[in-house]
Amino acid sequence: MKQNKTPDAGYLANLAHNFRKSWGQNFLRYCEDAGKLVDKIDLTDNMAVLEIGVGGGALTAALLKRNVTVYAYEIDKTLETFLNLRFAESLAQGRLHLSFTDALAADWTQLFARFEKVAVVSNLPYSLTRELINKIYRELGEKIGILALMLQKEAINRLLCPPPGRTNYQAKLYGLQAVITQMLFRSAERYKISRQAFFPVPHVDNEFLIMTTEKGGEEKSDIYFPRQNSIRDQKLWLYFIDFLQTAFQNRRKQIRNCFSTLPNEQLSAILLKAGLPLTVRAEELTPQELWQIACELFEAKNG
Ligand SMILES: C[S@@+](CC[C@H](N)C(=O)[O-])C[C@H]1O[C@@H](n2cnc3c(N)ncnc32)[C@H](O)[C@@H]1O
């Protein structure tokens, strides 16, 4: 780590801050690091950006150098005075919307309803990674144009696990997040980040993952893009997420036995129609197969 980097104002001002491990408070230490991360992201002009966990504001400041509007959350109210002062100009211009609340309690479907695409750019709090990504996928779905997250290697492997039948498939990693990632994104790039880039220095390695819906990077071939532009499609998307949650909850169970509220014959008929064995488990199904089953169940339920 070079010594001539510029300490971020948020890191410097908050050195005496009570860094809370439970909130995953490891702030980016240097302006240049935050700037380089944001420079790798293909943000388009006037794009709406969701940032979860502002911390000292290193990433927020780098984002605000671009022509975007940032909607940001920070749970730690002791940072409020500092952040309101640091970003007074952007707040007054309406380019930054800061909410000192729990991001898990937000309604992003409603907040971003008027935007066609949203970029999610965050250095996520470690303990909430899984919950927050599930929420991002559930509430924003195909509206996510870019997903750029600082994550632990394991969390990235869970997102990027390929479906059954592909090289590097791992049953224990394959689940809701891998399925949705396969469906929504066409490219994924990951960058290793030094532990020294953060304060306090974390005990684990982080990587910055950038996924986009545009071609480029490691291209995926057989993507299905579910549309969510009608109320019915939105309901189907939520149904699909719930379906995946139930199907993968007990991953060793046959899928037929995961849905106790459904008549067993109904699911059997759908599996037969799809040419799948009745004994199949969710972890053995591709995103397309899971999507097909969920659509059939949704049709049967809603007509
Ligand atoms: C890894 S730090 C990132 C800070 C800053 N973005 C950076 O890169 O330097 C994660 C931040 O998320 C905040 N946080 C944790 N749980 C949160 C929640 N449920 N809602 C909103 N913010 C949360 C923490 O307080 C912390 O500031």
Side-chain angles (χ1 to χ4, degrees):
M1 179 63 51
K2 285 185 203 153
Q3 290 308 304
N4 56 358
K5 287 187 183 173
T6 321
D8 177 69
Y11 151 70
L12 269 188
N14 289 292
L15 273 178
H17 173 72
N18 175 24
F19 284 84
R20 299 265 294 263
K21 206 175 165 187
S22 59
W23 283 338
Q25 292 190 330
N26 301 91
F27 294 180
L28 277 169
R29 209 188 277 233
Y30 300 108
C31 295
E32 288 83 355
D33 290 345
K36 273 187 196 159
L37 294 177
V38 171
D39 283 348
K40 292 182 196 304
I41 310 170
D42 199 9
L43 293 166
T44 51
D45 279 355
N46 304 317
M47 209 169 185
V49 178
L50 167 63
E51 188 195 359
I52 302 154
V54 177
L59 212 47
T60 323
L63 283 167
L64 287 167
K65 289 198 175 131
R66 308 288 286 272
N67 186 15
V68 296
T69 305
V70 181
Y71 297 81
Y73 293 82
E74 176 50 61
I75 201 167
D76 188 345
K77 289 196 167 58
T78 68
L79 295 165
E80 191 167 349
T81 309
F82 168 75
L83 289 175
N84 280 335
L85 205 64
R86 178 174 191 184
F87 296 117
E89 199 180 320
S90 301
L91 286 164
Q93 291 166 343
R95 294 187 56 228
L96 172 65
H97 302 262
L98 252 178
S99 173
F100 290 94
T101 54
D102 183 349
L104 284 171
D107 180 346
W108 294 326
T109 308
Q110 204 189 349
L111 182 66
F112 294 106
R114 69 197 164 93
F115 297 100
E116 203 183 318
K117 289 283 173 202
V118 177
V120 184
V121 183
S122 300
N123 177 5
L124 286 184
Y126 162 66
S127 60
L128 292 182
T129 301
R130 193 190 283 257
E131 254 173 297
L132 284 167
I133 294 175
N134 283 356
K135 183 177 165 72
I136 292 165
Y137 278 177
R138 183 185 177 84
E139 295 187 12
L140 295 175
E142 57 140 17
K143 200 162 263 205
I144 310 165
I146 298 169
L147 187 63
L149 301 176
M150 184 75 75
L151 296 168
Q152 286 192 19
K153 205 165 96 186
E154 295 70 28
I156 297 187
N157 291 343
R158 197 165 58 226
L159 282 168
L160 298 185
C161 178
R166 298 262 200 96
T167 326
N168 296 332
Y169 161 75
Q170 284 186 60
K172 67 176 192 316
L173 292 180
Y174 186 66
L176 182 150
Q177 295 194 353
V179 170
I180 303 292
T181 302
Q182 287 287 326
M183 292 171 82
L184 295 180
F185 300 106
R186 289 197 179 187
S187 76
E189 289 164 30
R190 52 202 290 186
Y191 304 91
K192 289 195 175 119
I193 309 294
S194 157
R195 290 186 190 191
Q196 304 303 319
F198 305 95
F199 185 86
V201 177
H203 300 295
V204 288
D205 290 320
N206 282 282
E207 291 183 31
F208 194 58
L209 171 71
I210 304 177
M211 299 196 290
T212 68
T213 51
E214 304 304 324
K215 287 191 180 181
E218 184 205 334
E219 200 183 314
K220 310 230 164 79
S221 55
D222 51 356
I223 310 288
Y224 179 82
F225 285 92
R227 309 242 66 85
Q228 291 163 59
N229 39 18
S230 71
I231 300 282
R232 191 176 187 283
D233 287 352
Q234 281 171 16
K235 278 191 184 158
L236 171 57
W237 181 251
L238 296 182
Y239 181 84
F240 181 51
I241 299 275
D242 291 342
F243 166 83
L244 291 178
Q245 241 148 9
T246 310
F248 282 101
Q249 209 153 40
N250 200 339
R251 52 182 59 243
R252 301 303 300 163
K253 259 193 187 178
Q254 294 176 7
I255 200 163
R256 267 191 319 167
N257 300 327
C258 291
F259 297 88
S260 52
T261 52
L262 288 175
N264 209 293
E265 318 79 67
Q266 191 184 9
L267 203 43
S268 299
I270 290 171
L271 292 175
L272 283 174
K273 189 176 160 196
L276 295 164
L278 296 179
T279 52
V280 78
R281 295 192 289 256
E283 63 182 21
E284 296 167 328
L285 294 167
T286 63
Q288 290 82 351
E289 287 164 338
L290 289 158
W291 174 251
Q292 190 187 340
I293 296 169
C295 285
E296 299 257 7
L297 286 172
F298 182 80
E299 282 291 328
K301 196 167 158 250
N302 298 281

